[in-house]
Amino acid sequence: MKSNSFWKLSAWKLKDVILASLIAVLFAFICFAVVHFVAFTLTPLLAPVGFGDLAMEFVFGIFFMSAVFAPYIIRKPGVATIVGTMTGVVQILMGSAFAATLLISAFVQGLGSEAAFAVFRYKKFNILTVILASLGATITSFILAWYRGSWSEVIPTIVILRFVIRALSACLFSGIISKLLADRLAKAGVLKSYPIGQIRSGNEPISD
Amino acid sequence: MFNFLSKINPFYKFVFIIVSSTILTFLHFLWLNVAVFGICLLLLFLGAPSKQFLKALKFLIPVSILAFSLFMSGIHFGVDASSELGSVSFESTQNGLNMSTRVFAFASLGLLFALTTDSHALIKSMQKEAKLPRKFAYGMLCAVNLLPYMKQEYQHARLAFLVRGERIHFFSLKPIFSMLVHCFQWSETLSIAMFSKGFYEDGSI
């Protein structure tokens, strides 16, 4: 049974907050590296044919990873949104040039991922939930990008192509890879005091 | 030059940047984009040390690449572009310009914030002004301060694998994984350490 306080922010323990922040910092670092790597390699190569901005779509799933990885471990309401937003904040503080866009998109991605976990009322955490969360983040981030990039001025074929590439990338990186990573970490035994580790070891999760 | 930008309350600056970039998301005017970019650069030039301004110019290099690629895709795939691929019309150039200047506008807004704000000051002011719960403020401070240790841990893990004679290249996952294992162990240890030093999740010390 999930108690009433499960849904409140006060149910977060300090160790959850620290782990959430750690995940945000780690993935912010990875996102920062990936954005700049792609912007300097793949984008200029594809730019002359007009496909330059498609390059970013291939790695877009990496930007959703924290918003799927963290709730899969901590399993509390709000984790996806908060960690997603934190990842944006940390990237801004690192001095990412894409900062002002980042924060809102980070928040929106978090919301999209959160929706998928909320549909299952934070009880089911399997490959299906994780993939749905990735797709949720894809959809919300895509709607935002539509307005931001003024994509109504681009022919629909390109927009659909972008969506498909982004969705596939999200399923691969934030869906499959982040689940595998979390499962391996749980197997290594470092997440024993978090819900994912307790369920794995066969104990009932400790309810507060 | 003067240094008035870093003296503004970080939280208010933060809210200003978020609000203005949200408004910009839904407005699509070429001249607005150019104006925002110009104003932000001017503010950075006047209100921040010249070192930060040069840094901003450096950060604009990847942005320019992205903007160029958006410009090209606007030209090639714009809705108004004439049916023949590769022919450049006035409308499609306009599209391309609109899309690429937007990137610059967003980037300059972000840089205006990032280059004049200290992360500790931001978290502290968030706790004061936005009533961020204590455990979130200190938890985030904890993680931000751990960053150099994570880097050190990664280098140690890398070295350990090299000593064992394993081939490690830039994208190897093994050292990253063992770094993650250590980092995640810290999160619990740290929270215990903070409690033992008299930190309470709610209420004052």
Side-chain angles (χ1 to χ4, degrees):
Chain A
M1 265 307 281
K2 300 213 157 150
S3 57
N4 221 0
S5 69
F6 175 77
W7 298 95
K8 288 184 190 150
L9 210 56
S10 54
W12 286 54
K13 297 275 145 215
L14 182 67
K15 62 174 190 204
D16 299 330
V17 179
I18 294 178
L19 185 72
S21 317
L22 263 177
I23 292 173
V25 169
L26 271 171
F27 282 99
F29 193 71
I30 294 172
C31 293
F32 188 78
V34 166
V35 165
H36 286 83
F37 179 73
V38 174
F40 279 114
T41 54
L42 214 54
T43 307
L45 276 179
L46 291 173
V49 263
F51 283 121
D53 46 330
L54 276 181
M56 212 57 96
E57 305 290 334
F58 286 103
V59 291
F60 225 92
I62 296 175
F63 308 145
F64 306 148
M65 274 177 93
S66 68
V68 178
F69 184 71
Y72 186 70
I73 290 174
I74 304 176
R75 302 189 177 180
K76 275 187 171 51
V79 176
T81 318
I82 290 172
V83 174
T85 315
M86 269 188 203
T87 315
V89 175
V90 175
Q91 274 184 84
I92 292 177
L93 295 172
M94 281 176 178
S96 173
F98 309 99
T101 50
L102 259 170
L103 188 88
I104 305 164
S105 36
F107 173 68
V108 165
Q109 286 160 18
L111 271 186
S113 153
E114 187 83 53
F117 290 111
V119 163
F120 294 100
R121 295 184 68 78
Y122 305 96
K123 278 175 187 159
K124 256 202 169 127
F125 288 88
N126 50 23
I127 189 86
L128 178 74
T129 335
V130 170
I131 287 201
L132 277 179
S134 318
L135 287 178
T138 312
I139 292 166
T140 46
S141 78
F142 202 79
I143 293 169
L144 183 71
W146 172 283
Y147 282 108
R148 182 183 285 151
S150 47
W151 285 355
S152 47
E153 293 164 13
V154 179
I155 50 174
T157 332
I158 291 293
V159 177
I160 294 167
L161 185 65
R162 291 187 88 147
F163 183 79
V164 172
I165 296 174
R166 191 180 288 197
L168 286 178
S169 159
C171 287
L172 174 67
F173 286 109
S174 60
I176 297 166
I177 291 182
S178 60
K179 186 183 182 295
L180 280 180
L181 190 64
D183 284 341
R184 272 192 67 185
L185 281 169
K187 218 172 158 190
V190 277
L191 299 171
K192 267 184 196 136
S193 59
Y194 296 95
I196 185 180
Q198 287 157 6
I199 288 162
R200 181 164 282 275
S201 58
N203 300 331
E204 271 290 295
I206 303 155
S207 58
D208 303 309
Chain B
M1 291 307 252
F2 313 106
N3 198 9
F4 60 82
L5 280 177
S6 52
K7 292 199 179 78
I8 306 172
N9 187 318
F11 179 67
Y12 294 143
K13 203 161 43 175
F14 188 64
V15 171
F16 170 74
I17 297 290
I18 293 172
V19 170
S20 44
S21 63
T22 313
I23 295 171
L24 198 61
T25 304
F26 296 102
L27 295 177
H28 301 253
F29 303 113
L30 177 59
W31 288 112
L32 183 72
N33 301 339
V34 178
V36 168
F37 179 61
I39 291 169
C40 287
L41 272 195
L42 193 71
L43 273 175
L44 257 182
F45 182 66
L46 293 177
S50 50
K51 205 178 84 188
Q52 298 296 82
F53 182 70
L54 290 177
K55 224 183 198 174
L57 293 184
K58 209 173 76 189
F59 275 123
L60 283 176
I61 299 171
V63 179
S64 320
I65 297 173
L66 208 68
F68 172 68
S69 79
L70 275 169
F71 175 66
M72 290 309 281
S73 94
I75 281 190
H76 281 300
F77 305 113
V79 160
D80 312 321
S82 43
S83 53
E84 218 178 307
L85 208 74
S87 63
V88 178
S89 67
F90 175 72
E91 284 86 3
S92 61
T93 317
Q94 192 91 17
N95 275 344
L97 272 179
N98 186 12
M99 284 162 72
S100 54
T101 47
R102 283 176 80 72
V103 183
F104 276 112
F106 280 120
S108 61
L109 267 177
L111 286 175
L112 188 64
F113 178 78
L115 294 178
T116 59
T117 313
D118 172 53
S119 54
H120 290 206
L122 174 69
I123 295 170
K124 271 181 196 158
S125 114
M126 270 183 162
Q127 196 201 345
K128 261 189 206 147
E129 317 287 339
K131 303 274 178 285
L132 187 75
R134 281 161 52 84
K135 53 185 166 186
F136 282 93
Y138 285 93
M140 278 174 81
L141 274 178
C142 215
V144 169
N145 285 321
L146 273 179
L147 199 59
Y149 291 96
M150 289 184 199
K151 214 169 140 193
Q152 204 178 11
E153 197 64 52
Y154 173 74
Q155 278 157 354
H156 285 175
R158 215 181 132 84
L159 201 65
F161 278 109
L162 284 176
V163 166
R164 268 179 259 164
E166 289 191 41
R167 280 170 175 269
I168 298 292
H169 51 85
F170 184 70
F171 292 107
S172 299
L173 287 174
K174 275 183 189 165
I176 296 179
F177 185 76
S178 61
M179 178 197 74
L180 279 176
V181 169
H182 283 121
C183 288
F184 285 6
Q185 273 169 341
W186 291 340
S187 70
E188 207 187 346
T189 322
L190 270 169
S191 76
I192 294 168
M194 280 166 81
F195 282 129
S196 72
K197 285 277 180 186
F199 178 90
Y200 289 94
E201 288 188 347
D202 313 294
S204 54
I205 296 171

